[in-house]
Amino acid sequence: MNLLLTAEQQELRTAVRSFLSANARPRDGHDPAVYRRLNGELGLAGLLVPEEYGGAGAGYAELAVALEETGAALLPGPYLATVFATIALTLTPDKELLTQIAEGRPVTLAEGPGLNGTYEQVLSGMEAEVLVTRVGDSFYAVELDGPGVSRTAQPSLDVTRGYARIELNQAPGRELGAAPESGVFDRMAIALAAEQLGVMRASLDAIVAYAKIRAAFGRLIGSYQAVKHKLADMHGKLEQAESIVRYAAWTADNEPAEVARAGMFAQAFVGRACFEVARDHLLLHGGIGFTWEHDAHLYYKRAKADEVLLGPPRAYRARLAQLLEL
């Protein structure tokens, strides 16, 4: 087991970071042109898609690198939602939709009442073109601009990423194949933890830089012992989270039997740690962190939204305890 990034993974990180630095605009919301370029130039949506379907055929280690960078940049739009759908589809799999994802088509995944009923708070439900949902023992794909479908944008804490209420009225769906009995949720938890790691890293980097230039009472705030202690605590959480995410991604690629435990542990620790680091990042910025002109509150909101995106934190701890037979 080697949890250090390979040269190829470092190159991926550099490429994604450079692209997002130049093009990601969290305050502007989803830009379809940027999303198309993200996939056309870097192939991010197709990382998990097998090569025979037009994807990169990469693993969760590479996906985690990409998600860490999109999290750090607070990338708006349907990338995480598409990743969740791709995880489900690669365990099915469905050639047609996976090929479309690799080509850049945005897709979302949601649990709900099947092809007739209402889906509440669907991640990127307004930006996605296809909804993947489970009906009985199979996954189905529903075209979101097709008949029997209506969508309504919903307010959310995370203003950088949209949600929608989707109502299906006997909407036609294409069967994609038998849904796996397990594994989808656990891998989604790992993917989410990778994004949260990026949010943590960007938050810590920002407040460290600020502590070096902001003066209070005639001294740089970074020289105060209380601030030093808080930054050290944030750094410790980041280091632990990075190890947990790297290990969880490794299990998804190499040890399927450990994926459930790794995924639940990742969310049990990283989800809360991400919120705490983003919270302290906001507080240490002082009053400016609460203004719309500063990004600190955006990281705080993304961290809180991510913490409960797949369910309440207590659910991860309870399932982890059950898996460990505690």
Side-chain angles (χ1 to χ4, degrees):
M1 182 190 303
N2 184 358
L3 301 184
L4 299 178
L5 298 183
T6 65
E8 291 79 8
Q9 290 163 354
Q10 290 281 12
E11 290 176 3
L12 174 63
R13 164 180 273 182
T14 299
V16 176
R17 183 175 296 181
S18 177
F19 178 91
L20 294 175
S21 176
N23 297 284
R25 298 289 184 269
R27 295 171 181 273
D28 296 340
H30 172 52
D31 184 341
V34 171
Y35 187 77
R36 286 194 297 270
R37 289 184 56 207
L38 187 73
N39 296 302
E41 297 176 21
L42 301 177
L44 288 199
L47 281 177
L48 287 183
V49 177
E51 292 183 59
E52 59 265 34
Y53 300 159
Y60 280 81
E62 289 73 30
L63 178 65
V65 169
L67 283 166
E68 182 181 345
E69 294 305 318
T70 59
L74 294 182
L75 176 68
Y79 181 62
L80 182 65
T82 301
V83 166
F84 286 167
T86 305
I87 289 171
L89 294 173
T90 53
L91 297 177
T92 301
D94 178 77
K95 178 178 180 180
E96 181 179 342
L97 192 49
L98 282 174
T99 299
Q100 293 174 359
I101 288 173
E103 293 172 348
R105 195 175 196 201
V107 180
T108 191
L109 174 74
E111 290 282 345
L115 303 178
N116 193 43
T118 301
Y119 291 76
E120 301 285 353
Q121 294 295 107
V122 178
L123 179 64
S124 298
M126 296 301 293
E127 299 90 351
E129 296 178 4
V130 180
L131 169 68
V132 174
T133 188
R134 184 169 182 157
V135 181
D137 295 329
S138 297
F139 281 127
Y140 281 76
V142 178
E143 296 286 337
L144 290 177
D145 60 354
V149 179
S150 63
R151 293 186 275 181
T152 307
Q154 297 295 295
S156 68
L157 175 65
D158 181 5
V159 296
T160 67
R161 195 151 57 193
Y163 292 80
R165 175 189 293 117
I166 299 178
E167 297 181 39
L168 303 183
N169 183 12
Q170 301 298 333
R174 182 173 66 85
E175 186 172 4
L176 304 176
E181 294 183 2
S182 63
V184 175
F185 181 78
D186 305 317
R187 287 168 170 81
M188 289 169 60
I190 294 171
L192 179 60
E195 175 178 285
Q196 292 165 322
L197 176 62
V199 174
M200 293 177 71
R201 189 181 303 282
S203 297
L204 180 57
D205 287 348
I207 190 57
V208 168
Y210 186 69
K212 293 178 180 179
I213 62 172
R214 176 70 169 95
F217 304 105
R219 293 172 54 183
L220 295 176
I221 64 171
S223 68
Y224 288 102
Q225 189 176 47
V227 175
K228 292 179 181 179
H229 285 173
K230 181 60 70 175
L231 294 178
D233 182 55
M234 295 165 72
H235 179 74
K237 291 174 182 176
L238 175 65
E239 289 286 295
Q240 293 177 75
E242 182 174 14
S243 296
I244 291 168
V245 170
R246 297 276 179 264
Y247 170 72
W250 181 88
T251 64
D253 288 330
N254 299 279
E255 290 288 346
E258 294 297 317
V259 167
R261 283 186 286 266
M264 292 305 96
F265 182 59
Q267 278 308 307
F269 179 85
V270 181
R272 188 60 188 174
C274 175
F275 170 71
E276 291 172 349
V277 168
R279 175 201 63 199
D280 293 339
H281 158 246
L282 175 69
L283 295 175
L284 288 172
H285 269 94
I288 192 175
F290 290 86
T291 66
W292 282 104
E293 290 74 20
H294 201 279
D295 286 345
H297 69 99
L298 298 179
Y299 284 92
Y300 174 85
K301 292 170 181 175
R302 171 68 69 90
K304 189 59 184 179
D306 275 0
E307 185 184 20
V308 298
L309 180 60
L310 298 180
R314 65 178 180 274
Y316 304 125
R317 296 191 293 268
R319 184 157 181 256
L320 179 61
Q322 183 181 36
L323 290 167
L324 296 175
E325 299 181 350
L326 297 179

